[in-house]
Amino acid sequence: MYGLNHISVGLRDRLVYGFSCFGKDLVYGLVSCIIFLYCIQVLNISITFLGILYLSHHVLGAILCPFFGTLVDHTKSRIGKYKPYIIIGAIINSIAIVGFCLIDQFPYDFRYFYLSVIYIIWSCSYFLIDVPSWATLSIFNTNVATRDSMAAIPSMSNVLGSQILAIGVLPVLSGASDFLNIQDISYVFICLISAVILICSQAAYVFLLKTSSLDQNHLPSHFIPPSLSTENKDTAATNYQSDLNMGKADNLYNSYMMEHTNYNQAQNARDFYDQISTNANEGLNVTNNHSSFAKVLNVNLLKINPFKQVKRMSRIIFSNDQLLVLFSCSILLNTMAGLIFGALINSFLDQQLLEHSNLYFIIIAAALIQCAFMATFESFARHTPRSWILNGSVVVAMVTFIMSCITTANNSLFYALIACCMFIGSGCIGLCRVAVSSMTIDTVDYGEFKFNLRTDGLIFAVRSMAKHLGVLIAFFFYGGAISLGTHFNAAENIVPTISLNWAITTVVLLGCSAIIIFSMYYKLNGAFYRNILNNLQYLRQNQRADSSNDNNDVQHFMLRYCLDESTMIIKLQARNLDDLIKALVQKLAKVNAITSELDYMQDLKARLALGPCGIAEGIALPHAKSSSVRRATVVVATLDEPLDLGALDGRKCDLVFLLASPDDGETHLNLLGRLSLLLNEQGFADKLRTSGSPTELFERLIQCEKHIVK
């Protein structure tokens, strides 16, 4: 849920982006349906062979999309990192489409080889367009409302461009040739029209679509600072000490913090990007030659090491826990949707119901209603949490599928019941798809927030990979080849089928599994995620301001990016310091802020051995720098019973801040300095002590820092 005040994307950009997505997906539908149908009816190409080609498209998608996404993330050009691949992909794809026109020019036996080559080229070039097209969603705006409305555009385009076209040729597949006769249409004309549509739609994207500065691939550098030279580190330490002496943070807390910081200027910065690769461009080296291709993409493809890229991609993907949750749910939901559609269509074909125009037009109307539901997703999300929308839509889709399966054709209300179930079920599936797309953008921001690394190309490629895997699984049970083989009197069935009862059982298991996984592990909702977005937006604005400011001494460091609602503890029961530290470190492990609970515990105990963590006025500040820390994180706890933690004023402590920082020599100073400003605020500690819940404690911390910043 969110408010109404947000910056929206202009109507022109929405139309241009929608047109580019529609053109891409329309061509996909034409190639997948009309051209395949031509190969069957006119060229007598084996149905099994075409089914294998269709499967190969999705296998290639599952394999190649992550590589294309990584390529996009490492690309820099004057026109951004997406548009060069849109241009290259559109040109190659158009050439491949025209190449389909030449199939009948070759001998029959050679047509199989030629069609395989052309189709693989077409598929690869389609992925080259598809990945950056979807990744574009992540750069329009950081506002949740805007991304929810924008996420509906490519989803609607996919239904209008590919699914409705596929549904439109179902009568042909079932033998009702009165609807459409492919031999009456010029095949060359279809190919040329497809190429023109693709070129025009992608040209609109390249020349008319305005994108943000994130499209220029400026890797963020506002969280864990990059390595500083010894001279710069000395200057930073001097400036910080100077600020203390000037009275900016001049009480007991600051003296204690500076005394116990142990600032080590010889330490090198180490962030998540360094953990992935010792060189920012390792395995995908940026070239400095002056070839025209290098000037456009600034990437040397000849120096790419695929093995290092696989290792790097795996680390990025498996370290983003929220991406893994969404990836798992997406596979389950795409498989579920494929099984629902396949089971219903297969059932209708077996009962020869598609020969009746009533059911055919119900299917068409259901696809259009799905688009309508997608368009209203932002309105739903404005008043209802997206998690509720996703889980509720999955449940309703399962229920309507079951009702559709148990409705018999003998019932006088058959068409009315089928229409009702398909309209509601299709709409809910549409809401699920938009929700997944919108939350994929969330994982992009989460990755940047957590690792100081923005990989929107790779993350959206993972989303595409999940879709391809889901389609492959669904095709195994209900593939188009079965329908084609049955209704063209060909005894070639390359995939098995399952009974309708087993389909219902499988759909329910898939849907329930997706709901359980999402509800238990997805956390990019509520105050925590709003904090991520607000902080990213704030830091990007100040980063741009700093880049145009001649005063390089200006430093921006926000405490709020170190806070997590999951690391807030109310009325913690701890008998001694060991119990306290153990509970706090467990919270760090829970939010994946540390690589090893044991390693950080050792570093923290070593730090505590140098002096007590109690400060004064009932506040304790245990803290430690450690190489096991992934990102700077603060755990805040109020104690049920105060503990004697060696405070300078002798008072027992009931408010504890655990500071975990990377061992980079600078983040720890910034974190301590920012926290000291909060502790100086009159009544700040008492507000935290009286918090009634972790959410309230989290919100009060955020509000206090906002007050200080203003």
Side-chain angles (χ1 to χ4, degrees), residues 153-182:
I153 293 178
S155 301
M156 292 170 59
S157 299
N158 181 263
V159 174
L160 292 173
S162 60
Q163 292 187 27
I164 289 184
L165 185 65
I167 296 171
V169 299
L170 280 175
V172 180
L173 304 183
S174 62
S177 58
D178 291 339
F179 284 90
L180 175 65
N181 189 341
I182 194 68

PDB file of all heavy atoms in Angstrom, residues 153-182:
ATOM      1  N   ILE A 153       2.532  -2.816 -18.295  1.00  0.00           N
ATOM      2  CA  ILE A 153       2.638  -2.555 -19.733  1.00  0.00           C
ATOM      3  C   ILE A 153       3.231  -3.740 -20.495  1.00  0.00           C
ATOM      4  O   ILE A 153       2.621  -4.233 -21.454  1.00  0.00           O
ATOM      5  CB  ILE A 153       3.444  -1.265 -19.974  1.00  0.00           C
ATOM      6  CG1 ILE A 153       2.643  -0.057 -19.456  1.00  0.00           C
ATOM      7  CG2 ILE A 153       3.775  -1.096 -21.455  1.00  0.00           C
ATOM      8  CD1 ILE A 153       3.357   1.267 -19.591  1.00  0.00           C
ATOM      9  N   PRO A 154       4.430  -4.243 -20.147  1.00  0.00           N
ATOM     10  CA  PRO A 154       4.963  -5.392 -20.909  1.00  0.00           C
ATOM     11  C   PRO A 154       4.134  -6.653 -20.717  1.00  0.00           C
ATOM     12  O   PRO A 154       4.073  -7.501 -21.622  1.00  0.00           O
ATOM     13  CB  PRO A 154       6.383  -5.558 -20.363  1.00  0.00           C
ATOM     14  CG  PRO A 154       6.361  -4.916 -19.022  1.00  0.00           C
ATOM     15  CD  PRO A 154       5.383  -3.794 -19.114  1.00  0.00           C
ATOM     16  N   SER A 155       3.492  -6.802 -19.562  1.00  0.00           N
ATOM     17  CA  SER A 155       2.653  -7.978 -19.340  1.00  0.00           C
ATOM     18  C   SER A 155       1.431  -7.945 -20.246  1.00  0.00           C
ATOM     19  O   SER A 155       1.051  -8.961 -20.843  1.00  0.00           O
ATOM     20  CB  SER A 155       2.225  -8.044 -17.865  1.00  0.00           C
ATOM     21  OG  SER A 155       3.346  -8.112 -17.007  1.00  0.00           O
ATOM     22  N   MET A 156       0.800  -6.779 -20.377  1.00  0.00           N
ATOM     23  CA  MET A 156      -0.341  -6.637 -21.281  1.00  0.00           C
ATOM     24  C   MET A 156       0.091  -6.838 -22.730  1.00  0.00           C
ATOM     25  O   MET A 156      -0.615  -7.474 -23.513  1.00  0.00           O
ATOM     26  CB  MET A 156      -0.972  -5.261 -21.100  1.00  0.00           C
ATOM     27  CG  MET A 156      -1.651  -5.040 -19.762  1.00  0.00           C
ATOM     28  SD  MET A 156      -2.107  -3.314 -19.502  1.00  0.00           S
ATOM     29  CE  MET A 156      -3.186  -3.043 -20.905  1.00  0.00           C
ATOM     30  N   SER A 157       1.240  -6.296 -23.068  1.00  0.00           N
ATOM     31  CA  SER A 157       1.732  -6.432 -24.441  1.00  0.00           C
ATOM     32  C   SER A 157       1.982  -7.896 -24.784  1.00  0.00           C
ATOM     33  O   SER A 157       1.736  -8.327 -25.916  1.00  0.00           O
ATOM     34  CB  SER A 157       3.026  -5.630 -24.613  1.00  0.00           C
ATOM     35  OG  SER A 157       2.802  -4.254 -24.362  1.00  0.00           O
ATOM     36  N   ASN A 158       2.461  -8.655 -23.805  1.00  0.00           N
ATOM     37  CA  ASN A 158       2.705 -10.071 -24.044  1.00  0.00           C
ATOM     38  C   ASN A 158       1.417 -10.812 -24.352  1.00  0.00           C
ATOM     39  O   ASN A 158       1.369 -11.663 -25.246  1.00  0.00           O
ATOM     40  CB  ASN A 158       3.400 -10.687 -22.827  1.00  0.00           C
ATOM     41  CG  ASN A 158       3.716 -12.147 -23.003  1.00  0.00           C
ATOM     42  OD1 ASN A 158       2.973 -13.016 -22.558  1.00  0.00           O
ATOM     43  ND2 ASN A 158       4.826 -12.440 -23.659  1.00  0.00           N
ATOM     44  N   VAL A 159       0.356 -10.489 -23.622  1.00  0.00           N
ATOM     45  CA  VAL A 159      -0.934 -11.142 -23.865  1.00  0.00           C
ATOM     46  C   VAL A 159      -1.508 -10.720 -25.213  1.00  0.00           C
ATOM     47  O   VAL A 159      -1.954 -11.550 -26.013  1.00  0.00           O
ATOM     48  CB  VAL A 159      -1.928 -10.815 -22.730  1.00  0.00           C
ATOM     49  CG1 VAL A 159      -3.314 -11.375 -23.047  1.00  0.00           C
ATOM     50  CG2 VAL A 159      -1.421 -11.389 -21.415  1.00  0.00           C
ATOM     51  N   LEU A 160      -1.482  -9.409 -25.483  1.00  0.00           N
ATOM     52  CA  LEU A 160      -2.049  -8.910 -26.736  1.00  0.00           C
ATOM     53  C   LEU A 160      -1.239  -9.362 -27.939  1.00  0.00           C
ATOM     54  O   LEU A 160      -1.798  -9.709 -28.990  1.00  0.00           O
ATOM     55  CB  LEU A 160      -2.112  -7.376 -26.705  1.00  0.00           C
ATOM     56  CG  LEU A 160      -3.097  -6.761 -25.708  1.00  0.00           C
ATOM     57  CD1 LEU A 160      -2.919  -5.248 -25.657  1.00  0.00           C
ATOM     58  CD2 LEU A 160      -4.531  -7.102 -26.085  1.00  0.00           C
ATOM     59  N   GLY A 161       0.088  -9.356 -27.804  1.00  0.00           N
ATOM     60  CA  GLY A 161       0.929  -9.636 -28.956  1.00  0.00           C
ATOM     61  C   GLY A 161       1.128 -11.097 -29.264  1.00  0.00           C
ATOM     62  O   GLY A 161       1.206 -11.485 -30.434  1.00  0.00           O
ATOM     63  N   SER A 162       1.194 -11.935 -28.232  1.00  0.00           N
ATOM     64  CA  SER A 162       1.499 -13.342 -28.492  1.00  0.00           C
ATOM     65  C   SER A 162       0.366 -14.282 -28.126  1.00  0.00           C
ATOM     66  O   SER A 162      -0.024 -15.140 -28.922  1.00  0.00           O
ATOM     67  CB  SER A 162       2.771 -13.750 -27.727  1.00  0.00           C
ATOM     68  OG  SER A 162       2.599 -13.564 -26.334  1.00  0.00           O
ATOM     69  N   GLN A 163      -0.212 -14.124 -26.941  1.00  0.00           N
ATOM     70  CA  GLN A 163      -1.210 -15.095 -26.505  1.00  0.00           C
ATOM     71  C   GLN A 163      -2.509 -15.007 -27.310  1.00  0.00           C
ATOM     72  O   GLN A 163      -3.067 -16.025 -27.713  1.00  0.00           O
ATOM     73  CB  GLN A 163      -1.505 -14.902 -25.016  1.00  0.00           C
ATOM     74  CG  GLN A 163      -0.332 -15.257 -24.122  1.00  0.00           C
ATOM     75  CD  GLN A 163      -0.709 -15.227 -22.661  1.00  0.00           C
ATOM     76  OE1 GLN A 163      -1.855 -15.423 -22.295  1.00  0.00           O
ATOM     77  NE2 GLN A 163       0.273 -14.965 -21.813  1.00  0.00           N
ATOM     78  N   ILE A 164      -2.994 -13.780 -27.529  1.00  0.00           N
ATOM     79  CA  ILE A 164      -4.242 -13.650 -28.283  1.00  0.00           C
ATOM     80  C   ILE A 164      -4.057 -14.132 -29.713  1.00  0.00           C
ATOM     81  O   ILE A 164      -4.957 -14.739 -30.304  1.00  0.00           O
ATOM     82  CB  ILE A 164      -4.740 -12.190 -28.246  1.00  0.00           C
ATOM     83  CG1 ILE A 164      -5.247 -11.862 -26.834  1.00  0.00           C
ATOM     84  CG2 ILE A 164      -5.840 -11.954 -29.274  1.00  0.00           C
ATOM     85  CD1 ILE A 164      -5.838 -10.500 -26.682  1.00  0.00           C
ATOM     86  N   LEU A 165      -2.875 -13.888 -30.277  1.00  0.00           N
ATOM     87  CA  LEU A 165      -2.613 -14.385 -31.628  1.00  0.00           C
ATOM     88  C   LEU A 165      -2.613 -15.912 -31.641  1.00  0.00           C
ATOM     89  O   LEU A 165      -3.154 -16.535 -32.556  1.00  0.00           O
ATOM     90  CB  LEU A 165      -1.276 -13.850 -32.131  1.00  0.00           C
ATOM     91  CG  LEU A 165      -0.928 -14.205 -33.577  1.00  0.00           C
ATOM     92  CD1 LEU A 165      -1.917 -13.547 -34.527  1.00  0.00           C
ATOM     93  CD2 LEU A 165       0.483 -13.777 -33.916  1.00  0.00           C
ATOM     94  N   ALA A 166      -2.007 -16.511 -30.584  1.00  0.00           N
ATOM     95  CA  ALA A 166      -2.003 -17.970 -30.508  1.00  0.00           C
ATOM     96  C   ALA A 166      -3.426 -18.506 -30.387  1.00  0.00           C
ATOM     97  O   ALA A 166      -3.802 -19.490 -31.027  1.00  0.00           O
ATOM     98  CB  ALA A 166      -1.161 -18.427 -29.315  1.00  0.00           C
ATOM     99  N   ILE A 167      -4.221 -17.837 -29.543  1.00  0.00           N
ATOM    100  CA  ILE A 167      -5.613 -18.261 -29.394  1.00  0.00           C
ATOM    101  C   ILE A 167      -6.373 -18.070 -30.699  1.00  0.00           C
ATOM    102  O   ILE A 167      -7.259 -18.853 -31.052  1.00  0.00           O
ATOM    103  CB  ILE A 167      -6.286 -17.468 -28.254  1.00  0.00           C
ATOM    104  CG1 ILE A 167      -5.609 -17.800 -26.921  1.00  0.00           C
ATOM    105  CG2 ILE A 167      -7.771 -17.786 -28.170  1.00  0.00           C
ATOM    106  CD1 ILE A 167      -6.056 -16.925 -25.780  1.00  0.00           C
ATOM    107  N   GLY A 168      -5.995 -17.053 -31.447  1.00  0.00           N
ATOM    108  CA  GLY A 168      -6.687 -16.767 -32.702  1.00  0.00           C
ATOM    109  C   GLY A 168      -6.536 -17.843 -33.750  1.00  0.00           C
ATOM    110  O   GLY A 168      -7.386 -17.983 -34.632  1.00  0.00           O
ATOM    111  N   VAL A 169      -5.471 -18.635 -33.673  1.00  0.00           N
ATOM    112  CA  VAL A 169      -5.281 -19.693 -34.664  1.00  0.00           C
ATOM    113  C   VAL A 169      -5.698 -21.056 -34.133  1.00  0.00           C
ATOM    114  O   VAL A 169      -5.520 -22.063 -34.805  1.00  0.00           O
ATOM    115  CB  VAL A 169      -3.813 -19.751 -35.144  1.00  0.00           C
ATOM    116  CG1 VAL A 169      -3.409 -18.464 -35.795  1.00  0.00           C
ATOM    117  CG2 VAL A 169      -2.876 -20.092 -33.977  1.00  0.00           C
ATOM    118  N   LEU A 170      -6.257 -21.093 -32.905  1.00  0.00           N
ATOM    119  CA  LEU A 170      -6.735 -22.375 -32.379  1.00  0.00           C
ATOM    120  C   LEU A 170      -7.782 -23.032 -33.272  1.00  0.00           C
ATOM    121  O   LEU A 170      -7.775 -24.251 -33.431  1.00  0.00           O
ATOM    122  CB  LEU A 170      -7.297 -22.181 -30.964  1.00  0.00           C
ATOM    123  CG  LEU A 170      -6.258 -22.117 -29.842  1.00  0.00           C
ATOM    124  CD1 LEU A 170      -6.935 -21.805 -28.520  1.00  0.00           C
ATOM    125  CD2 LEU A 170      -5.494 -23.418 -29.745  1.00  0.00           C
ATOM    126  N   PRO A 171      -8.713 -22.263 -33.863  1.00  0.00           N
ATOM    127  CA  PRO A 171      -9.666 -22.917 -34.766  1.00  0.00           C
ATOM    128  C   PRO A 171      -8.976 -23.612 -35.934  1.00  0.00           C
ATOM    129  O   PRO A 171      -9.448 -24.634 -36.421  1.00  0.00           O
ATOM    130  CB  PRO A 171     -10.546 -21.757 -35.251  1.00  0.00           C
ATOM    131  CG  PRO A 171     -10.465 -20.754 -34.168  1.00  0.00           C
ATOM    132  CD  PRO A 171      -9.065 -20.843 -33.655  1.00  0.00           C
ATOM    133  N   VAL A 172      -7.858 -23.034 -36.380  1.00  0.00           N
ATOM    134  CA  VAL A 172      -7.115 -23.670 -37.459  1.00  0.00           C
ATOM    135  C   VAL A 172      -6.539 -24.993 -36.983  1.00  0.00           C
ATOM    136  O   VAL A 172      -6.595 -26.018 -37.667  1.00  0.00           O
ATOM    137  CB  VAL A 172      -5.988 -22.734 -37.953  1.00  0.00           C
ATOM    138  CG1 VAL A 172      -5.206 -23.395 -39.071  1.00  0.00           C
ATOM    139  CG2 VAL A 172      -6.575 -21.412 -38.411  1.00  0.00           C
ATOM    140  N   LEU A 173      -5.986 -24.973 -35.767  1.00  0.00           N
ATOM    141  CA  LEU A 173      -5.388 -26.193 -35.234  1.00  0.00           C
ATOM    142  C   LEU A 173      -6.434 -27.279 -35.011  1.00  0.00           C
ATOM    143  O   LEU A 173      -6.123 -28.464 -35.040  1.00  0.00           O
ATOM    144  CB  LEU A 173      -4.671 -25.881 -33.908  1.00  0.00           C
ATOM    145  CG  LEU A 173      -3.610 -24.785 -33.967  1.00  0.00           C
ATOM    146  CD1 LEU A 173      -2.946 -24.650 -32.612  1.00  0.00           C
ATOM    147  CD2 LEU A 173      -2.585 -25.073 -35.039  1.00  0.00           C
ATOM    148  N   SER A 174      -7.676 -26.888 -34.752  1.00  0.00           N
ATOM    149  CA  SER A 174      -8.729 -27.877 -34.515  1.00  0.00           C
ATOM    150  C   SER A 174      -9.468 -28.252 -35.780  1.00  0.00           C
ATOM    151  O   SER A 174     -10.461 -28.963 -35.740  1.00  0.00           O
ATOM    152  CB  SER A 174      -9.732 -27.329 -33.492  1.00  0.00           C
ATOM    153  OG  SER A 174     -10.346 -26.159 -33.991  1.00  0.00           O
ATOM    154  N   GLY A 175      -9.009 -27.758 -36.915  1.00  0.00           N
ATOM    155  CA  GLY A 175      -9.584 -28.171 -38.185  1.00  0.00           C
ATOM    156  C   GLY A 175     -10.679 -27.267 -38.697  1.00  0.00           C
ATOM    157  O   GLY A 175     -11.247 -27.531 -39.757  1.00  0.00           O
ATOM    158  N   ALA A 176     -11.018 -26.208 -37.967  1.00  0.00           N
ATOM    159  CA  ALA A 176     -12.077 -25.308 -38.424  1.00  0.00           C
ATOM    160  C   ALA A 176     -11.468 -24.265 -39.343  1.00  0.00           C
ATOM    161  O   ALA A 176     -11.265 -23.118 -38.974  1.00  0.00           O
ATOM    162  CB  ALA A 176     -12.769 -24.647 -37.231  1.00  0.00           C
ATOM    163  N   SER A 177     -11.154 -24.642 -40.543  1.00  0.00           N
ATOM    164  CA  SER A 177     -10.415 -23.787 -41.466  1.00  0.00           C
ATOM    165  C   SER A 177     -11.237 -22.626 -42.001  1.00  0.00           C
ATOM    166  O   SER A 177     -10.714 -21.771 -42.710  1.00  0.00           O
ATOM    167  CB  SER A 177      -9.887 -24.615 -42.642  1.00  0.00           C
ATOM    168  OG  SER A 177     -10.975 -25.252 -43.302  1.00  0.00           O
ATOM    169  N   ASP A 178     -12.519 -22.582 -41.658  1.00  0.00           N
ATOM    170  CA  ASP A 178     -13.325 -21.460 -42.122  1.00  0.00           C
ATOM    171  C   ASP A 178     -12.885 -20.150 -41.479  1.00  0.00           C
ATOM    172  O   ASP A 178     -13.095 -19.072 -42.019  1.00  0.00           O
ATOM    173  CB  ASP A 178     -14.806 -21.706 -41.799  1.00  0.00           C
ATOM    174  CG  ASP A 178     -15.374 -22.844 -42.640  1.00  0.00           C
ATOM    175  OD1 ASP A 178     -14.772 -23.142 -43.694  1.00  0.00           O
ATOM    176  OD2 ASP A 178     -16.390 -23.424 -42.226  1.00  0.00           O
ATOM    177  N   PHE A 179     -12.273 -20.243 -40.285  1.00  0.00           N
ATOM    178  CA  PHE A 179     -11.832 -19.036 -39.601  1.00  0.00           C
ATOM    179  C   PHE A 179     -10.628 -18.415 -40.302  1.00  0.00           C
ATOM    180  O   PHE A 179     -10.493 -17.223 -40.396  1.00  0.00           O
ATOM    181  CB  PHE A 179     -11.460 -19.348 -38.142  1.00  0.00           C
ATOM    182  CG  PHE A 179     -12.650 -19.543 -37.258  1.00  0.00           C
ATOM    183  CD1 PHE A 179     -13.214 -20.793 -37.098  1.00  0.00           C
ATOM    184  CD2 PHE A 179     -13.204 -18.465 -36.587  1.00  0.00           C
ATOM    185  CE1 PHE A 179     -14.305 -20.972 -36.271  1.00  0.00           C
ATOM    186  CE2 PHE A 179     -14.306 -18.640 -35.763  1.00  0.00           C
ATOM    187  CZ  PHE A 179     -14.864 -19.889 -35.602  1.00  0.00           C
ATOM    188  N   LEU A 180      -9.730 -19.289 -40.739  1.00  0.00           N
ATOM    189  CA  LEU A 180      -8.500 -18.797 -41.357  1.00  0.00           C
ATOM    190  C   LEU A 180      -7.906 -19.895 -42.216  1.00  0.00           C
ATOM    191  O   LEU A 180      -7.815 -21.039 -41.799  1.00  0.00           O
ATOM    192  CB  LEU A 180      -7.479 -18.372 -40.280  1.00  0.00           C
ATOM    193  CG  LEU A 180      -6.102 -17.948 -40.768  1.00  0.00           C
ATOM    194  CD1 LEU A 180      -6.210 -16.684 -41.598  1.00  0.00           C
ATOM    195  CD2 LEU A 180      -5.161 -17.737 -39.600  1.00  0.00           C
ATOM    196  N   ASN A 181      -7.509 -19.552 -43.415  1.00  0.00           N
ATOM    197  CA  ASN A 181      -6.849 -20.515 -44.297  1.00  0.00           C
ATOM    198  C   ASN A 181      -5.495 -19.935 -44.649  1.00  0.00           C
ATOM    199  O   ASN A 181      -5.399 -18.948 -45.372  1.00  0.00           O
ATOM    200  CB  ASN A 181      -7.685 -20.756 -45.558  1.00  0.00           C
ATOM    201  CG  ASN A 181      -7.128 -21.917 -46.388  1.00  0.00           C
ATOM    202  OD1 ASN A 181      -5.977 -22.308 -46.245  1.00  0.00           O
ATOM    203  ND2 ASN A 181      -7.967 -22.465 -47.248  1.00  0.00           N
ATOM    204  N   ILE A 182      -4.460 -20.556 -44.106  1.00  0.00           N
ATOM    205  CA  ILE A 182      -3.114 -20.015 -44.270  1.00  0.00           C
ATOM    206  C   ILE A 182      -2.686 -19.965 -45.723  1.00  0.00           C
ATOM    207  O   ILE A 182      -1.874 -19.138 -46.124  1.00  0.00           O
ATOM    208  CB  ILE A 182      -2.112 -20.848 -43.430  1.00  0.00           C
ATOM    209  CG1 ILE A 182      -0.776 -20.114 -43.298  1.00  0.00           C
ATOM    210  CG2 ILE A 182      -1.910 -22.221 -44.049  1.00  0.00           C
ATOM    211  CD1 ILE A 182      -0.868 -18.892 -42.475  1.00  0.00           C
TER     212      ILE A 182
END
